[in-house]
Each structure stands twice: as structure tokens, then as C-alpha cells.
Amino acid sequence: MTFTGELRGLLPLRPAPVLTRPVDALAARRLTDSLGTRGEPRRPRRTFSDLLVFRLDDGDAQASVVKHPRSARAAASLAHECEAVRRLAADERLGGWRRLLPVVEERRLEGPMPLVVETCLPGVEADVLLRRSPELARRVTESALAAIRELHTVTGRIEDVTARVAGWVEPRLAVLAEEVPWCRRGAGAEALAVVRARVEGELAGRRLLVAWTHGDFHPGNVLLAQRPGTLSGVIDWAGAVPEGPALLDCHTFVLTMRHQLAGREFGGVVADVVRRARLMPEDRRLLAGARALPSGPRAETAVTLLTWLWHVAGNLEKSARYARSHRWVADNVVAVLGEVLAHEDDAPAPEAARSARSPGERRERTR
């Protein structure tokens, strides 16, 4: 690796705002003028996923959030998000739940990158609120899980997921192998094979709720009204799929909540679950209350690995910054796969795992 490559790998995921703020302010002003509005761009910032995001107050009109991609990956992610929100907004089954969705409008300006304007939903991000008031964590989590389970219930159905599991797992494993060189050979490639065997072997034969799945349901993507615990919006639908493993959203929220409140990397939280071979008792209670806890500790570990896989693959797809960050890869990819290899013998062979389950254990607990 060249010196430039080594230096780039040590740089933070997002450049320091003090260095980028002047350029971002000019770009936000230019984009606002291109929209032909009288609004004033406020708080422009760069996200981890290569977006320039700012708020636009346009006189008496409702405030908007403007998103402008800075890379082809970010543009593809943004286009997927727009399509998902449109499909959800048009789904009559959601009824009043649609108030939690932003209204999105894709604009084509000069150049290859689109620009998206979406309504600014009321409320504050849950992660911001919890930094000020961590004692609200349980109330916020229960409210968020109840809201997302309502979406799952009205759009989903319980079915045997044997034929679906490979589609949930293998494309995301391919993303890791493509984006992270360590995962292509040796211990990394071996660990990915173990992840595939554990997840597919444990979930095959189970009856699970398949539904619209947000895919990145964490406190930063949940808006809360002034009354703590009351959801006012769910944002950032770039990872949404119409027929996903519904319990994934609940596990993502619970594990990310633990990661944020403890100030640890997400990979460290997942590695702990693999090491213990089960979730923390408090996390198990929250997921059981949301009817999103699979039966058996091996299944808990398998779903945790599936949750981790969607999280890291989603980040890698949205931005090349993640794979270039040695620290992010070490903390969130290598740390987890190292524990997977260290506890490889804990997982039963796929056929043994399926045959050991009773019919009662195979019934999904969300019914």
C-alpha cells in the first residue's frame, strides 16, 4: 500500500466541519438558487453516506430538507430511497401510519447528480434527545419498536423463509468481499463462509414475518415529538425493501441503541453477542415485548449476525469512505468476524440445526 493509501485509511469517515463548512455553504447556496426558491439554506453538512444535506426555509411554506449526492453511490442510494417512500406513501394498507413518512420530490438539475427535496417532519432525532436525556432510552425504544412493528404487521405475512434466506445473506456477503480486501482471502473469507452457514442454517425452516423492512432503523432515523416517546417521523429509507426480514428492524434499533448509549462501535456490541452466544437480558426483554425475538440463543446470534451484515454492507454500498477507513473496518468488520471464527464450533451443522427444532420452535413468535 502506498503512503497516500495508508494516510487515507487513517483519516476520519467525515472531514472536520471546520474545514468543509465554507465550501458546503457555497454549494448549498448554489443549489438553493438552482431550485428557484427564496429560501435560505441552513446548517449544511456532509453525511457519512456522501450526501450534502441542509434545511431550506422558504418563507411561509413548510420547511424542507435538501439532499444532494456527492458520489454515484450516494445518487443510487438516494434514488432507491425516493422510490421506497413513494411506494409506501401510495400503499393504502398503511392508513394513518403514512404521516410518519416524508414527502419526497426528486429534481434534475444540470449535471449527473439529482437533488431531492423532502418535507421537514416535526420533532427531533432520537439519538439527539437521548444524548441529553439517556433515562428516556427504554421509553423511546418501546415506542419505536411498536411503530415499526405496526408497519410490518400491515404489510407483511408469516411464511417459511427457507427460499428467501440466501437472498437476504449472499448479496451482502458479496459486498463485504468486494469492498474489504481482508474479507477476500484467508481468515476473512473463512469467517464470511461461517457467517453464511450460521445464518442460513439457523433461519432456514423457520416461519418469520416478511414485510416492508426499513433496513437501517436506528435512533438517528427516528423523529420524536415534544412529548418524549411519541414518534413524529421515520426518515432515511435508502435501505428499505418490500419483502425483508421484519425482525431485522427491531434488532437493528436495540443493538444500535446499546452502541450509542455505551459509546462503543456497533461491531463491538455484535462481537459481544457472538462471544456470549446470546443477547443481553435487557435487549432480549425489549425484543420479546416487540414480538421480534426468535426462539433459542443460536437463533438470537444468527439474527444478530444478519443485522450486522445488513448494517455493514449497507454502509459500504452507500460510500467508499467506510472501506477506506482502516479503523472502521477493524472495529466493525474484523472484530465481529474474529469472534465468529473463534466460536465456529458453537454453531451446529445446518441440517442438524433444522432437524433439532420442534414444530413449535419453528413457529414465528410474532403471531
Side-chain angles (χ1 to χ4, degrees):
M1 180 182 291
T2 65
F3 173 76
T4 302
E6 292 175 352
L7 178 61
R8 184 174 61 180
L10 296 174
L11 292 176
L13 280 174
R14 184 166 57 196
V18 69
L19 300 177
T20 61
R21 191 177 291 121
V23 174
D24 293 342
L26 287 173
R29 180 72 267 173
R30 177 180 59 80
L31 292 168
T32 300
D33 292 342
S34 299
L35 290 170
T37 70
R38 297 172 300 167
E40 191 66 28
R42 297 175 52 194
R43 300 194 299 273
R45 60 184 177 86
R46 300 186 190 189
T47 70
F48 293 124
S49 51
D50 292 343
L51 293 175
L52 175 63
V53 178
F54 59 91
R55 180 183 169 113
L56 185 60
D57 292 323
D58 186 10
D60 296 331
Q62 182 179 8
S64 302
V65 175
V66 179
K67 300 179 178 180
H68 183 61
R70 298 170 50 85
S71 68
R73 295 188 193 205
S77 178
L78 199 55
H80 181 88
E81 178 180 3
C82 289
E83 178 62 20
V85 172
R86 289 193 188 106
R87 289 181 62 180
L88 287 163
D91 193 331
E92 296 293 340
R93 295 174 298 176
L94 271 64
W97 201 94
R98 288 177 288 185
R99 67 179 176 80
L100 301 178
L101 296 169
V103 177
V104 299
E105 178 185 357
E106 188 173 359
R107 305 278 189 93
R108 281 284 173 181
L109 304 178
E110 292 184 6
M113 298 298 182
L115 180 145
V116 169
V117 181
E118 65 180 46
T119 55
C120 188
L121 294 170
V124 61
E125 291 92 341
D127 59 346
V128 174
L129 173 67
L130 291 170
R131 281 197 290 271
R132 300 196 299 255
S133 305
E135 70 277 4
L136 297 175
R138 185 179 181 91
R139 188 192 310 178
V140 168
T141 301
E142 290 175 344
S143 181
L145 296 185
I148 202 67
R149 288 298 290 181
E150 182 180 348
L151 171 68
H152 298 157
T153 301
V154 299
T155 64
R157 60 190 178 277
I158 294 172
E159 61 177 70
D160 184 319
V161 298
T162 303
R164 293 188 180 273
V165 176
W168 292 341
V169 173
E170 292 178 8
R172 291 163 180 86
L173 290 172
V175 170
L176 264 71
E178 174 69 23
E179 299 291 336
V180 181
W182 184 81
C183 291
R184 297 174 195 163
R185 60 186 67 86
E190 181 184 350
L192 289 187
V194 175
V195 169
R196 175 189 288 110
R198 293 190 70 167
V199 176
E200 293 184 0
E202 187 59 43
L203 297 188
R206 289 184 180 268
R207 294 181 60 80
L208 301 176
L209 184 61
V210 177
W212 263 105
T213 301
H214 183 282
D216 194 22
F217 191 65
H218 62 74
N221 287 337
V222 168
L223 301 178
L224 299 172
Q226 290 184 346
R227 186 164 64 90
T230 303
L231 262 68
S232 58
V234 179
I235 58 176
D236 290 347
W237 292 83
V241 293
E243 295 183 324
L247 78 176
L248 178 87
D249 284 339
C250 297
H251 282 253
T252 299
F253 198 93
V254 168
L255 292 170
T256 306
M257 180 71 81
R258 181 165 295 282
H259 137 65
Q260 293 184 354
L261 290 177
R264 303 180 59 201
E265 288 290 337
F266 185 81
V269 173
V270 173
D272 284 348
V273 176
V274 177
R275 189 181 307 115
R276 288 191 308 267
R278 70 183 312 148
L279 293 159
M280 293 286 286
E282 174 62 14
D283 296 344
R284 297 184 76 253
R285 286 192 290 270
L286 287 166
L287 290 166
R291 295 174 297 168
L293 185 69
S295 58
R298 288 193 179 97
E300 293 175 19
T301 305
V303 173
T304 298
L305 286 172
L306 180 64
T307 303
W308 164 81
L309 183 59
W310 278 55
H311 174 80
V312 293
N315 285 340
L316 290 165
E317 284 187 303
K318 285 187 290 188
S319 173
R321 291 177 180 271
Y322 289 94
R324 292 200 302 256
S325 171
H326 299 337
R327 180 170 182 176
W328 184 86
V329 170
D331 291 344
N332 291 282
V333 177
V334 178
V336 173
L337 293 179
E339 289 296 333
V340 167
L341 283 180
H343 297 85
E344 180 178 0
D345 293 338
D346 295 347
E351 288 301 324
R354 285 196 290 271
S355 63
R357 279 186 222 123
S358 68
E361 288 177 315
R362 289 195 295 266
R363 286 196 293 270
E364 204 266 338
R365 292 179 62 170
T366 61
R367 287 185 289 180

